[in-house]
Amino acid sequence: MVKSTSTQVVIVGAGPAGLLLSHLLDLEGIASVLLENRSGEYVLGRIRAGVLESSSVELLEQVGVGDRLRREGFEHRGIYLQWPEERHHIDFVDHVGRPVWIYGQTELTKDLMQAREAAGQRSFYEVDDVTLHDIESERPSVRFVSAEGEPREVVGQVVAGCDGFHGPSRHAIPADLQRTWDHAYPYAWLGVLADVPPSTDDLIYAWHPEGFALHSMRSETVSRLYLQVDPDDDIANWSDDRIWESLAARLGDGQNGWHLQAGPITEKSILPMRSFVATPMRHGRLFLAGDAGHIVPPTGAKGLNLAIADVAVLSGALAALLKDGRSDLADAYSETALRRVWRCTHFSWWMTSMLHAHGDDFDAQLQLAQLRWVARSGAAAAGLAENYAGLPIGY
Ligand code: RFL
Ligand code: PHB
């Protein structure tokens, strides 16, 4: 016997998109059930994004989950763009009047999980065999096996697919009604977390003939660094010493008196890079949000911000649908969200293409010409700043 319960919105996935959506719906007085196939500890332990746009920070603050972010996060006026012998600061505040914030996705997830617990709404972690049903009807449902091994079903008025790139929600849309774009890049990132104070005040994005490098951070004592590597490379090939040597060379240790401080590496892994968009983001009573509908390469720091922007639009559309019986915003959701998705897809591709080495001398000269232009032209720098620091919600 399948145990059946009902709610208004069934949310699949407890990443930032699912958790924030559940909070926004709660503020609208809309009930939800959250289903996640991993444990809470696993979700909290995943090291991912670190940069929040101003509009993401403002939204989080407006809805009461921004206190710790404002206290413990770090405001950054801009980034450095660098290539051998040259480092240039792009000041977002000067160019477009907005900074960005460094606050780990793990911290944001913790804040959102606490808000979910405080709201007293039902969440199921460690669920298995999640399947979506009747999404073309007004009573869609999700079936799953609970952590205790019990087959269960939650019936709702809406299903929100916030289950990331590998989740089942996107595949519930009939293939003949869906169009996807998938672009793989010929490089990957090796990411490390290190117990060492950052050697820089703002993030450094470095072009180098041996490959891109990025110096980011999580706190005054923890640095986050990335190296461009081959997608087929094995993390076993990268000893800690080799990682620090490559970072030092690519980030320009010793140039103009700047030094990279090395320290104990606490986590390292290789991440593939892709651009992916699936349309439409809504079919019947199923709405996709975040990585379930689109993936960007991390060079533009956009993935988490897109997930936040999607659910900001979606929560308003669902409130109109479920509270006022108005379907116009729900009908417009896919088109509205995709405008920002394609803008960020282009920006992420542009940053990636400008900064990664692919062994072609002609391309390298074009990249350097582009980097010099961004560093020296106020108009070009303002374009980067406008996209990086973030467009308004509802763009
Ligand atoms: P998530 O975070 O992947 O969450 C989806 C959740 O769904 C669960 N799930 C299921 N649940 C139930 N049933 C199933 N069958 C399920 N299958 C999956 C998963 O366990 C998970 O908990 O997607 P969401 O919420 O859309 O959030 C998206 C962001 O996590 C992602 O875009 C960012 O992390 C991307 N990203 C960055 N974004 C930024 O905005 N700024 C950055 O600086 C930035 N840096 C990064 C990044 C992503 C990275 N990686 C590892 C991909 C740096 C890295 C290294
Ligand atoms: C990070 O801190 O993890 C980070 C920062 C900027 C990016 C990507 C990742 O573009």
Side-chain angles (χ1 to χ4, degrees):
M1 257 294 278
V2 176
K3 196 186 251 180
S4 187
T5 48
S6 67
T7 187
Q8 286 177 288
V9 180
V10 190
I11 302 176
V12 188
L19 285 166
L20 180 58
L21 179 65
S22 78
H23 180 64
L24 297 175
L25 292 177
D26 186 57
L27 295 180
E28 295 282 357
I30 296 173
S32 63
V33 169
L34 189 63
L35 307 175
E36 164 62 49
N37 69 339
R38 302 286 195 170
S39 68
E41 296 77 58
Y42 181 94
V43 171
L44 279 174
R46 276 190 307 224
I47 311 294
R48 287 193 168 176
V51 178
L52 289 174
E53 299 171 355
S54 288
S55 55
S56 300
V57 172
E58 280 156 23
L59 172 75
L60 294 166
E61 203 162 39
Q62 274 163 21
V63 300
V65 284
D67 289 355
R68 202 161 68 89
L69 191 169
R70 285 281 189 206
R71 258 196 336 269
E72 296 175 21
F74 295 88
E75 188 177 333
H76 285 247
R77 287 185 68 98
I79 57 167
Y80 294 99
L81 278 185
Q82 165 176 319
W83 54 96
E85 308 302 333
E86 289 195 45
R87 181 177 292 171
H88 297 265
H89 192 251
I90 310 287
D91 194 303
F92 303 155
V93 180
D94 283 352
H95 285 294
V96 293
R98 314 189 279 283
V100 292
W101 286 71
I102 291 285
Y103 191 63
Q105 183 168 326
T106 42
E107 301 309 312
L108 176 61
T109 305
K110 203 186 286 173
D111 298 342
L112 291 170
M113 275 187 181
Q114 272 170 10
R116 174 85 193 165
E117 258 166 51
Q121 304 243 20
R122 193 86 199 257
S123 305
F124 292 87
Y125 281 84
E126 296 181 80
V127 301
D128 234 331
D129 297 336
V130 173
T131 52
L132 282 67
H133 302 269
D134 304 321
I135 57 170
E136 285 163 1
S137 79
E138 294 196 350
R139 302 296 289 158
S141 65
V142 180
R143 290 188 203 147
F144 61 98
V145 177
S146 72
E148 294 75 34
E150 216 179 6
R152 300 189 68 124
E153 172 189 61
V154 186
V155 183
Q157 290 164 265
V158 160
V159 175
C162 301
D163 44 0
F165 184 66
H166 300 287
S169 295
R170 186 175 66 250
H171 304 289
I173 298 179
D176 57 338
L177 298 179
Q178 198 173 53
R179 176 146 189 221
T180 59
W181 289 262
D182 199 354
H183 180 79
Y185 296 84
Y187 15 79
W189 278 16
L190 188 167
V192 303
L193 205 58
D195 277 340
V196 62
S199 303
T200 177
D201 52 348
D202 276 342
L203 274 62
I204 306 171
Y205 286 78
W207 182 97
H208 192 277
E210 282 168 27
F212 169 73
L214 170 62
H215 190 330
S216 181
M217 57 207 73
R218 285 293 176 276
S219 69
E220 275 159 5
T221 54
V222 177
S223 296
R224 177 82 168 139
L225 300 119
Y226 297 97
L227 283 169
Q228 175 189 344
V229 296
D230 198 272
D232 302 323
D233 211 337
D234 188 337
I235 195 70
N237 296 330
W238 289 86
S239 67
D240 291 3
D241 285 348
R242 183 179 173 205
I243 290 172
W244 284 116
E245 277 161 26
S246 295
L247 285 167
R250 298 187 195 182
L251 289 168
D253 181 54
Q255 278 168 33
N256 303 314
W258 181 81
H259 286 288
L260 176 68
Q261 204 182 330
I265 289 178
T266 55
E267 202 264 352
K268 58 179 168 184
S269 54
I270 291 182
L271 333 150
M273 289 169 84
R274 67 175 348 132
S275 292
F276 177 85
V277 181
T279 66
M281 287 173 66
R282 179 252 177 122
H283 177 69
R285 287 294 180 108
L286 168 65
F287 296 77
L288 302 178
D291 280 13
H294 40 77
I295 296 282
V296 288
T299 330
K302 285 286 159 255
L304 172 59
N305 293 293
L306 266 183
I308 292 173
D310 281 354
V311 298
V313 174
L314 181 56
S315 60
L318 295 184
L321 183 71
L322 302 179
K323 285 167 55 175
D324 310 329
R326 258 180 56 203
S327 65
D328 55 331
L329 296 179
D331 292 342
Y333 168 69
S334 181
E335 207 183 314
T336 307
L338 282 167
R339 269 201 301 275
R340 189 190 194 90
V341 167
W342 278 115
R343 176 87 294 281
C344 293
T345 299
H346 174 265
F347 177 67
S348 305
W349 165 86
W350 179 75
M351 286 285 281
T352 303
S353 311
M354 177 168 69
L355 286 160
H356 290 73
H358 25 234
D360 179 300
D361 272 354
F362 178 69
D363 279 356
Q365 293 307 322
L366 295 183
Q367 289 174 319
L368 288 168
Q370 171 127 309
L371 282 162
R372 281 187 213 107
W373 177 55
V374 174
R376 293 194 187 138
S377 147
L384 188 152
E386 185 180 30
N387 282 278
Y388 194 108
L391 301 154
I393 297 278
Y395 164 81

